[in-house]
């Protein structure tokens, strides 16, 4: 996929540590010695308890902040700041309220210097891709939460980044909308072959979307486990979430998360696991 | 929920969870209906609102008419409204009001324009550099809270009694609300918008022009409106102290000549000018902020 062979790595984290200065002295370690390779074209999901450094991780990939130590590379190039090789979808949409859906999508293209005529065409094409044909001239306040998030996704895809980063993009949506957007994301991913890093606190979501699920420990965030979760593509008929494979995977991720911190509250009730839970965790193969 | 959607589409705050999302579920027609429905209602509620808004004003005018006629106040000092209105019409016809209002508007306009030309760029720079804002905001606060008119003698001493001192004091009085609201507007720009725009590759002036400035406009406008109202206020007072034209001059001149009806007509003119200016600015503001819910 990537023109940049020989490496097939989309994103590479090499002992990435991020510390924040704490008011009154000292430092807070948000992420510690993180090593991770995300393949080009992979859809990787990241789950972890609140405050474990997921957003911090994404910020650094976005180039909005820099690691205290360690390096992050996109397709072999070290990240030195924001760049159009990466697109970000924030949890709170972050659309410009004074711009229509289409003008919002065009924003990144303007920065890139795409001529006006071309911009309009690309923006419409991507609004179409996320199922918002006919909504081009709506302002964000005229759109529902799910539609706003679609616009944000279209905006991040429009300038054709190699890597798409998503920080709990569907967290504020109701279950039905979330599921339809999840399927849409999978469809878009298959259609575009982007490298996607998807941060979530939902185990179901992580397993459903991810080819691999990275489980982080509580702060300071480290990789607790990497679970292979390559499920068949949803065919729109079977309820993938109720297949034994899904349930088993979901349970593995759940265990990994909770082995990290037994005191952590349970976000979802554990399913009636098919077999007695085994405590073996797949060690991160990074 | 669906009925709430029908009557007022998309009033949910940006972070509120949305329900029943899929845009394909005939949602368009819902929106279109929703767009049409309030149009008729808006007209009716508009008329009702206009009626409600004018009740107090009408009552005031009736009281003004009756008080002198019924002998509650001396008609010499407060002629009935209809008499003042007649005088007003006469002064409009012979051009007296136009001349004086024109003189005032030119001064106010000049001072106000200077204030915008100084306050907006300065405010943008200061607001964007957080360090500068920390240092300078308190200083500006002090000036803003110093009644501009207290400085009128200073302006007259330095600039003389002509046009320049009046324009200068208007400019001075208007600069601070414009400046401070611009600083506040820039500083209150949602950091998330800036972060997301940066991640989209916007930098420097582009980021400023496309994100920071438009985000600051609503806050800026409250200051601009305050400044416009203030410009008339300060100018009238300055004209009362020393001028040979302008509405402020006219009012005091008529008072000295004991042409009380003319004096009231002048006051009426000031009220009308003030309302018109504010109305004009509200229109501009609406036009600039059509995207607002
Ligand atoms: N700019 C900052 N300055 C100081 N501390 C910070 C800063 N940003 C994040 N932190 C701290 O780093 C830790 C990780 O924060 P982060 O936002 O990455 O968590 P998260 O995993 O995204 O959590 P959530 O799931 O709740 O969004 C937190 O303890 C937070 O307080
Ligand atoms: Mg977060």
């Amino acid at each position: 996929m990537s023109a940049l062979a020989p490496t097939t790595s989309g994103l590479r984290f090499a002992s990435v540590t991020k510390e924040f200065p704490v008011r009154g002295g000292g430092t807070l370690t948000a992420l510690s010695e993180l090593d991770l390779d995300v393949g080009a074209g992979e859809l990787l999901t990241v789950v972890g308890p609140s405050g474990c450094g997921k957003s911090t991780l994404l910020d650094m990939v976005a180039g909005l902040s820099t690691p205290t130590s360690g390096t992050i590379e996109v397709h072999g190039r070290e990240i030195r700041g924001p760049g159009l090789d990466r697109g970000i979808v924030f949890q709170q949409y972050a659309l410009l309220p004074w711009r229509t859906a289409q003008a919002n999508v065009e924003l990144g293209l303007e920065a890139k210097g795409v001529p006006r005529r071309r911009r309009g065409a690309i923006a419409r094409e991507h609004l179409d891709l996320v199922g918002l044909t006919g909504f081009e001239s709506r302002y964000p306040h005229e759109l529902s939460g799910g539609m706003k998030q679609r616009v944000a996704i279209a905006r991040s895809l429009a300038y054709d980044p190699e890597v798409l980063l998503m920080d709990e993009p569907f967290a504020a949506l109701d279950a039905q909308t979330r599921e339809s957007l999840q399927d849409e994301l999978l469809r878009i991913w298959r259609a575009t072959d982007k490298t996607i890093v998807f941060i979530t606190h939902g185990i179901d979501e992580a397993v459903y979307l991810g080819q691999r699920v990275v489980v982080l420990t509580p702060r300071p965030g480290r990789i607790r486990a990497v679970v292979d979760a390559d499920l068949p593509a949803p065919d729109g008929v079977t309820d993938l979430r109720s297949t034994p494979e899904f349930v088993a995977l979901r349970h593995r991720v759940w265990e990994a998360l909770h082995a990290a911190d037994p005191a952590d509250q349970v976000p979802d009730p554990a399913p009636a696991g098919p077999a007695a839970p085994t405590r073996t965790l797949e060690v991160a193969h990074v | 929920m669906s009925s709430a959607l029908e009557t007022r589409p998309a009033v949910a705050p940006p972070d509120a969870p949305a329900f029943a999302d899929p845009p394909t579920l005939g949602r368009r027609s819902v929106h279109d209906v929703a767009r049409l429905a309030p149009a008729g209602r808006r007209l009716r509620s508009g008329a009702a609102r206009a009626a409600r808004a004018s009740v107090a004003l009408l009552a005031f005018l009736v009281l003004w008419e009756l008080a002198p006629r019924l002998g509650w106040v001396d008609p010499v000092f407060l002629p009935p409204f209809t008499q003042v209105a007649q005088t007003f019409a006469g002064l409009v016809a012979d051009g007296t009001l136009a001349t004086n209002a024109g003189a005032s508007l030119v001064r106010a306009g000049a001072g106000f324009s200077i204030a915008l030309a100084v306050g907006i760029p300065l405010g943008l720079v200061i607001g964007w550099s957080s360090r500068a804002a920390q240092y300078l905001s308190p200083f500006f606060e002090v000036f803003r809270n110093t009644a501009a008119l207290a400085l009128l003698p200073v302006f007259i001493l330095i600039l003389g009694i002509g046009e320049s001192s009046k324009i200068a004091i208007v400019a001075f009085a208007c600069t601070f609300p414009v400046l401070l609201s611009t600083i506040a507007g820039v500083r209150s720009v949602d950091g998330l918008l800036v972060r997301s725009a940066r991640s989209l590759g916007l930098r420097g002036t582009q980021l400023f022009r496309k994100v920071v400035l438009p985000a600051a406009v609503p806050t800026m406008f409250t200051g601009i409106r305050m400044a416009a109202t203030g410009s008339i206020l300060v100018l009238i007072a300055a004209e009362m102290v020393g001028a040979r034209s302008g509405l402020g001059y006219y009012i005091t001149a008529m008072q000295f000549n004991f042409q009380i009806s003319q004096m009231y007509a002048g006051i009426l003119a000031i009220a009308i000018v003030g309302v018109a200016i504010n109305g004009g600015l509200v229109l501009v503001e609406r036009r600039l902020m059509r995207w607002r819910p």
Side-chain angles (χ1 to χ4, degrees):
Chain A
M1 174 63 218
S2 160
L4 280 157
T7 169
T8 51
S9 159
L11 261 178
R12 172 175 287 145
F13 300 83
S15 42
V16 171
T17 299
K18 179 70 181 180
E19 290 168 350
F20 290 108
V22 179
R23 227 175 311 153
T27 56
L28 177 149
T29 309
L31 281 170
S32 169
E33 294 292 319
L34 194 107
D35 285 299
L36 182 66
D37 243 327
V38 187
E42 180 175 7
L43 204 172
L44 181 96
T45 51
V46 179
V47 278
S50 181
C52 74
K54 302 185 294 292
S55 299
T56 305
L57 184 78
L58 186 127
D59 257 33
M60 291 188 295
V61 180
L64 297 170
S65 67
T66 48
T68 311
S69 66
T71 55
I72 310 173
E73 289 175 1
V74 182
H75 287 280
R77 300 181 300 272
E78 192 176 337
I79 290 170
R80 300 226 173 270
L84 292 173
D85 50 354
R86 286 149 284 150
I88 307 191
V89 179
F90 293 94
Q91 179 176 342
Q92 304 91 342
Y93 324 128
L95 299 178
L96 302 181
W98 56 88
R99 282 182 172 234
T100 60
Q102 172 161 344
N104 261 292
V105 176
E106 286 184 25
L107 188 63
L109 301 169
E110 289 166 25
K112 203 177 179 179
V114 178
R116 175 186 297 259
R117 185 78 56 77
R118 217 37 224 106
R119 280 205 306 262
I122 297 175
R124 277 191 296 277
E125 186 187 309
H126 282 86
L127 282 171
D128 197 38
L129 181 72
V130 297
L132 281 182
T133 318
F135 289 81
E136 293 86 354
S137 54
R138 295 291 166 86
Y139 286 100
H141 75 87
E142 298 173 305
L143 300 172
S144 72
M147 290 154 100
K148 279 187 260 211
Q149 199 56 284
R150 287 166 199 262
V151 175
I153 293 170
R155 179 174 68 178
S156 301
L157 288 171
Y159 55 88
D160 201 24
E162 289 151 36
V163 180
L164 191 62
L165 306 156
M166 309 179 86
D167 191 0
E168 307 195 20
F170 307 150
L173 307 174
D174 63 293
Q176 204 186 330
T177 308
R178 181 160 49 232
E179 283 187 17
S180 78
L181 278 179
Q182 284 168 354
D183 285 336
E184 212 138 309
L185 180 70
L186 286 175
R187 180 177 63 70
I188 291 168
W189 172 61
R190 293 205 173 85
T192 59
D193 239 335
K194 303 272 179 222
T195 308
I196 299 180
V197 176
F198 188 103
I199 289 169
T200 174
H201 57 238
I203 300 176
D204 277 28
E205 187 167 66
V207 171
Y208 188 71
L209 292 176
Q211 290 180 296
R212 287 190 298 157
V213 179
V214 172
V215 182
L216 297 179
T217 63
R219 204 184 63 231
R222 295 171 207 273
I223 293 180
R224 161 67 45 141
V226 179
V227 179
D228 274 308
D230 213 356
L231 293 161
D235 55 12
V237 184
T238 24
D239 177 12
L240 196 66
R241 292 174 180 84
S242 63
T243 59
E245 294 90 334
F246 185 90
V247 172
L249 274 172
R250 189 193 170 292
H251 186 65
R252 289 236 323 265
V253 174
W254 186 89
E255 271 199 321
L257 253 173
H258 291 266
D261 182 5
D264 211 40
Q265 329 82 326
V266 184
D268 306 294
T278 44
R279 274 270 153 192
T280 46
L281 294 176
E282 188 188 26
V283 178
H285 48 86
V286 284
Chain B
M1 185 64 213
S2 84
S3 72
L5 269 179
E6 268 160 31
T7 49
R8 302 185 64 192
V11 284
D15 290 338
F19 299 98
D21 173 61
T24 39
L25 298 180
R27 198 181 176 85
R28 254 197 107 191
S29 59
V30 169
H31 268 200
D32 289 342
V33 168
R35 282 195 157 185
L36 290 176
R41 197 174 315 145
R42 205 178 302 141
L43 207 68
R44 240 178 309 135
S45 79
R49 200 176 323 128
R52 272 198 300 276
S54 42
V55 164
L57 199 60
L58 284 174
F60 170 74
L61 292 181
V62 168
L63 188 69
W64 180 357
E65 184 67 28
L66 291 182
R69 290 202 188 280
L70 297 178
W72 296 346
V73 293
D74 190 337
V76 174
F77 297 130
L78 180 66
F81 171 68
T82 44
Q83 189 191 322
V84 172
Q86 255 167 23
T87 312
F88 186 88
L91 291 172
V92 169
D94 72 8
T96 311
L97 278 184
T99 314
N100 287 297
S104 289
L105 282 175
V106 167
R107 291 173 188 144
F112 181 64
S113 308
I114 294 173
L116 292 185
V118 173
I120 291 178
L122 202 60
L124 292 177
V125 171
I126 294 172
W128 194 228
S129 132
S130 57
R131 186 66 59 77
Q134 278 168 11
Y135 280 109
L136 293 173
S137 286
F139 172 74
F140 293 136
E141 281 292 344
V142 169
F143 266 98
R144 185 177 65 161
N145 290 306
T146 306
L149 284 173
L151 292 170
L152 184 57
V154 179
F155 279 89
I156 291 177
L157 275 178
I158 297 173
L159 296 171
I161 200 139
E163 294 298 299
S164 45
S165 64
K166 286 175 206 62
I167 294 174
I169 193 142
V170 170
F172 176 85
C174 294
T175 300
F176 293 102
V178 172
L179 181 68
L180 288 168
S181 67
T182 306
I183 294 175
V186 172
R187 301 208 75 191
S188 64
V189 173
D190 187 354
L192 179 68
L193 290 186
V194 175
R195 274 156 45 85
S196 101
R198 285 217 296 140
S199 81
L200 289 166
L202 274 82
R203 253 177 283 132
T205 51
Q206 219 179 15
L207 179 66
F208 199 81
R209 199 161 47 81
K210 295 193 173 181
V211 179
V212 178
L213 193 56
V217 163
T219 316
M220 281 164 65
F221 241 92
T222 57
I224 290 175
R225 281 230 316 263
M226 266 165 63
T229 322
S231 72
I232 295 290
L233 206 85
V234 170
L235 179 71
I236 298 297
E239 285 176 344
M240 285 176 151
V241 175
R244 273 181 208 91
S245 62
L247 289 173
Y249 153 80
Y250 183 75
I251 292 167
T252 17
M254 292 307 106
Q255 186 203 359
F256 282 138
N257 296 342
F258 219 73
Q259 294 181 289
I260 298 303
S261 200
Q262 275 82 347
M263 183 191 86
Y264 280 107
I267 294 173
L268 209 57
I270 289 174
I272 292 169
V273 166
V275 169
I277 288 179
N278 197 55
L281 281 170
V282 168
L283 280 184
V284 173
E285 190 174 1
R286 262 207 217 127
R287 186 149 170 74
L288 276 178
M289 282 174 270
R290 254 174 315 186
W291 50 272
R292 279 239 185 138

